[in-house]
Amino acid sequence: MNSDIKTILLTREQLAKRVKELAQKISEDYRNKDCVLVSVLKGSFIFYADLVREIDFHTTINFLRVSSYGSGATSSAKITFKYPLDSKVEGKHVLVIEDIIDSGNTYVFLKKYFKDQGALSVSMCALLDKPERREVDISAEYVGFEIPNEFVVGYGLDYDEKYRNLPYIGVLKPEIYKK
Ligand code: PRP
């Protein structure tokens, strides 16, 4: 598996340090608010697990999963729930936890959905941000790392459902996905 990686972009240590910093900031900002932290599966499962263990306030654990139709989906209308959130967000502050913000379409979709459900606010914490890929005018309120437009895997992110269990984030060798 490691031999499929061209370069390591973010090491375990860099990730752990940044996750701690993000958790500290989130703890300061949300400590006295009724807040729902939502993991968007599958990509965010490791980031979420690490982040919540550094969060210093009582929180519930919540998951959802969305699916986008077709590659190159350009509209949030093409996103639907594969696994909806099972807790109520009405009157609460929602913080969406993502492994990556790319086109921004998922965030647009979730923001509207939670607002429609009566959330007081909807923000996002994305470990990675690929601003070059943005298709809509939206940005995550908390970002771990801005990264170039390269094919990254590991720490939850996949190619063809593989590599999610790598403990670091690496750039995949082009010959792997161009096969
Ligand atoms: C990724 C990521 C986000 C979404 C971001 O999920 O986890 O949910 O894409 O992209 P966007 O900003 O262009 O909407 P993906 O569809 O790859 O599913 P996965 O998390 O199950 O791997």
Side-chain angles (χ1 to χ4, degrees), residues 104-168:
N105 289 321
T106 306
Y107 189 21
V108 168
F109 170 80
L110 290 174
K111 212 177 186 48
K112 179 175 184 324
Y113 175 78
F114 287 129
K115 286 254 172 82
D116 290 349
Q117 296 291 308
L120 293 178
S121 71
V122 184
S123 297
M124 174 176 283
C125 174
L127 177 66
L128 306 177
D129 183 3
K130 270 187 185 174
E132 281 173 60
R133 298 260 305 170
R134 205 73 90 248
E135 292 172 6
V136 283
D137 184 19
I138 200 164
S139 51
E141 286 71 12
Y142 305 87
V143 170
F145 302 91
E146 228 178 67
I147 62 164
N149 187 17
E150 298 214 67
F151 204 130
V152 291
V153 293
Y155 198 70
L157 291 103
D158 76 310
Y159 166 62
D160 202 16
E161 291 299 327
K162 291 176 287 201
Y163 307 99
R164 293 193 197 273
N165 58 319
L166 281 174
Y168 55 82

Side-chain angles (χ1 to χ4, degrees), residues 14-54:
Q14 285 173 301
L15 290 165
K17 182 170 176 281
R18 190 71 186 118
V19 168
K20 210 169 195 162
E21 288 167 359
L22 289 169
Q24 273 168 7
K25 181 81 179 93
I26 290 167
S27 297
E28 284 164 21
D29 294 353
Y30 285 88
R31 185 167 290 126
N32 299 314
K33 293 181 178 167
D34 196 356
C35 162
V36 184
L37 296 180
V38 180
S39 159
V40 182
L41 294 171
K42 294 178 186 176
S44 74
F45 81 109
I46 294 178
F47 176 44
Y48 187 79
D50 284 348
L51 189 79
V52 294
R53 281 181 290 175
E54 300 288 346

